[in-house]
Amino acid sequence: ELQQLSQVDRVRGIRWILDCVGGFDGKNATHIATTRNDCIDYLRGSDGGYDGQVVPSFEQGFALLEKYNLTFDLQCAPAQLVAASELCSKYPNIKVVIDHLGKPKSLLGADIEENRNNTKLDETELTVWREGMKCIAKNKNVYVKISMLGYAIPGWIRTEARIELMKSLVRETVEIFGPKRCMVATNFHIDTATSDSGGLSDVGPDVLRFIELIYGFLKDYPEKDTDRMFCTTA
């Protein structure tokens, strides 16, 4: 299949949803898509446990991407980033793109009325995310997408305070990876709320508003760097 895909002009890479922090329960950071594979953690355990080893069959398939000159879009939970870093370091010629800012989840809690004045980030989740991002960013073949920001802070566009918190997360990500390895992506599908938060909020910016906000976050970078983040890196 990879050989066939590599011959399609518009195909540049493979994407796989691997978010797994345990059995799917609809509340944790395990993605429902992993239930198709019995919630196996392909990055940290062959049988769904957490033995720290990548699933051998998954690694074998991943390694083939170099042969066919394909990239890999990696969607995983923050707790999996260190294991993902180990895999990426073994295959420095495979370009890997971390999806959705590394997917820290609900750093301000749920987007509900009684919680909307909260501006205190979940330091436990933030620490796991930050350590994982710094670890995987050491691999120069790894890039990151600035996208689906509402997963990190559901309802982030509701208040100026929340927008400022999002700005700090975006800029921290750029500082960790450097502008050359960051790319802005709208992730637009279905509707604005779904595109922004994956169902964690009922609001999200439309594409134009999203671009305006992200440009505002990053406009003080040199023009060559903003060009990279908004266009040429991708």
Side-chain angles (χ1 to χ4, degrees), residues 146 171 174-175 177-184 214-215 217-234:
I146 299 170
R171 290 185 66 92
V174 175
E175 290 303 307
F177 280 82
K180 291 182 180 180
R181 292 192 287 142
C182 295
M183 60 189 84
V184 176
I214 303 304
Y215 179 73
F217 294 171
L218 304 172
K219 64 182 180 181
D220 60 331
Y221 278 90
E223 185 176 354
K224 65 179 181 180
D225 286 335
T226 55
D227 283 348
R228 287 170 176 144
M229 290 186 280
F230 282 89
C231 182
T232 57
T233 294

Side-chain angles (χ1 to χ4, degrees), residues 1 53 102 131 163 178:
E1 289 187 14
Q53 301 299 313
E131 291 177 352
I163 289 173

Side-chain angles (χ1 to χ4, degrees), residues 201-217:
S201 175
D202 60 0
V203 298
D206 61 29
V207 172
L208 180 58
R209 177 63 172 151
F210 174 78
I211 295 298
E212 288 175 341
L213 285 166
I214 303 304
Y215 179 73
F217 294 171

Side-chain angles (χ1 to χ4, degrees), residues 6-39:
S6 68
Q7 295 171 354
V8 179
D9 289 341
R10 293 186 178 183
V11 175
R12 293 291 181 268
I14 303 298
R15 174 177 177 264
W16 199 351
I17 296 172
L18 296 173
D19 318 30
C20 186
V21 294
F24 175 75
D25 64 6
K27 298 178 181 179
N28 61 19
T30 294
H31 197 286
I32 189 172
T34 65
T35 59
R36 302 170 192 159
N37 303 297
D38 299 322
C39 287

Side-chain angles (χ1 to χ4, degrees), residues 1-2 5 11-16 65 70-74:
E1 289 187 14
L2 286 177
L5 286 171
V11 175
R12 293 291 181 268
I14 303 298
R15 174 177 177 264
W16 199 351
L65 296 175
L70 293 169
T71 64
F72 188 75
D73 268 42
L74 172 61

